[in-house]
Amino acid sequence: MEAPRSNELAFAKQIRYVRAYVRNPVPSKYGQKFLPLIMQWQQKDSSRKRDTAPLKDVFDELLEAYRIKDRYNERKVVAEWESLMGKTVASRTSSISVKNRILYIRLSSGAIKKELMMHKSKVMDLIAEKYGDQVIKDIVFL
């Protein structure tokens, strides 16, 4: 075996300081001279992106990229029916489904069904205000 050359030893020493700095970012007095090298190494080998975005924006972009934003909003209307209409109406609701942007609601109370049929435009306005105009185009009470 041949002995390592001096420049290989110096390089190994630099790598040791870089690894030590990554573990402990406060450089020692010996690591001060390698600080520019460390900074350059971190910038070059950093695979993590520096630009960040709020999770909500990224999630909306993802929904639009996969073209499932409308379906997501339809499911959101069904899931949040109780908060949208209140506990009284939600407790009398047997089933809720969406097909072709039409919201089908099966109610167990005839009086509430009649009341909601008379105020269908108000329910549509509530949904449009909270989830957008294009989410639900009609409501059918069963």
Side-chain angles (χ1 to χ4, degrees):
M1 287 216 153
E2 62 184 79
R5 293 183 223 147
S6 63
N7 59 354
E8 290 176 354
L9 289 175
F11 182 71
K13 193 175 188 181
Q14 289 176 352
I15 294 298
R16 266 197 318 269
Y17 282 124
V18 168
R19 287 183 181 157
Y21 179 79
V22 170
R23 280 188 236 117
N24 184 12
V26 180
S28 66
K29 64 179 182 178
Y30 300 109
Q32 283 288 46
K33 65 180 181 181
F34 297 111
L35 193 58
L37 175 71
I38 292 167
M39 299 305 287
Q40 181 183 13
W41 176 75
Q42 282 183 338
Q43 289 172 358
K44 189 187 301 181
D45 290 344
S46 178
S47 61
R48 188 173 180 184
K49 291 184 179 178
R50 297 288 181 212
D51 55 334
T52 58
L55 185 59
K56 182 183 183 305
D57 296 342
V58 173
F59 187 68
D60 287 339
E61 287 178 26
L62 178 74
L63 290 175
E64 287 183 19
Y66 285 107
R67 297 182 187 149
I68 56 174
K69 187 171 179 110
D70 293 334
R71 282 190 172 220
Y72 174 76
N73 286 334
E74 289 172 358
R75 300 297 184 255
K76 208 169 166 183
V77 169
V78 171
E80 296 178 0
W81 178 252
E82 182 177 350
S83 66
L84 188 66
M85 297 304 296
K87 288 186 178 185
T88 306
V89 175
S91 66
R92 307 286 194 291
T93 303
S94 304
S95 65
I96 306 170
S97 62
V98 178
K99 187 172 185 178
N100 297 329
R101 292 181 31 214
I102 298 173
L103 182 64
Y104 294 96
I105 303 167
R106 184 173 303 277
L107 296 163
S108 60
S109 172
I112 291 179
K113 179 180 174 183
K114 187 71 173 173
E115 195 72 28
L116 288 175
M117 287 174 108
M118 289 192 310
H119 298 290
K120 184 177 180 178
S121 62
K122 286 184 180 180
V123 175
M124 289 290 293
D125 289 341
L126 278 173
I127 293 172
E129 181 183 313
K130 191 166 184 179
Y131 304 105
D133 293 334
Q134 301 298 321
V135 176
I136 301 294
K137 66 178 181 180
D138 195 18
I139 300 176
V140 176
F141 297 103
L142 306 171

